[in-house]
Amino acid sequence: DVKGVACLVGPRLTELPEDLFYRCIYGLARISRGRGLEDFRRRAEKALARLLHPSRQTGLKPTQLVHLCWAFSRLSSQPGEVFDTP
């Protein structure tokens, strides 16, 4: 059950290494078709904002960043939540 996995993983998103964070967000967005994961999406948005903060250097590849943009779009993220993150 996708919602069950999202409920288990959501509170731990900030603890995941970057590669697992990427796989988790991208994978759940693909199999959920973006429905029913509002709490997970909000947690993921906050975790991504911390991950991409200018004071940090990210190890994510450009293609992974593009996939994350797609995943957040599919999860119904709105401008200002993820896409406008400094």
Side-chain angles (χ1 to χ4, degrees), residues 3 7 16 18 20 32 42 45 47-48 50 55 62 69 71 75:
K3 288 183 185 180
C7 287
L16 294 176
E18 289 178 353
L20 293 180
S32 73
R42 283 190 291 276
E45 289 169 346
L48 183 65
R50 284 191 290 271
S55 66
C69 286
L75 291 170

Side-chain angles (χ1 to χ4, degrees), residues 21 25 41-49 52 65 68-73 75-86:
F21 176 84
I25 303 297
R41 186 200 70 226
R42 283 190 291 276
R43 289 176 185 267
E45 289 169 346
K46 289 178 184 176
L48 183 65
L52 297 179
L65 293 171
L68 281 173
C69 286
W70 174 88
F72 278 102
S73 178
L75 291 170
S76 301
S77 290
Q78 299 299 311
E81 299 298 325
V82 172
F83 302 108
D84 294 339
T85 300

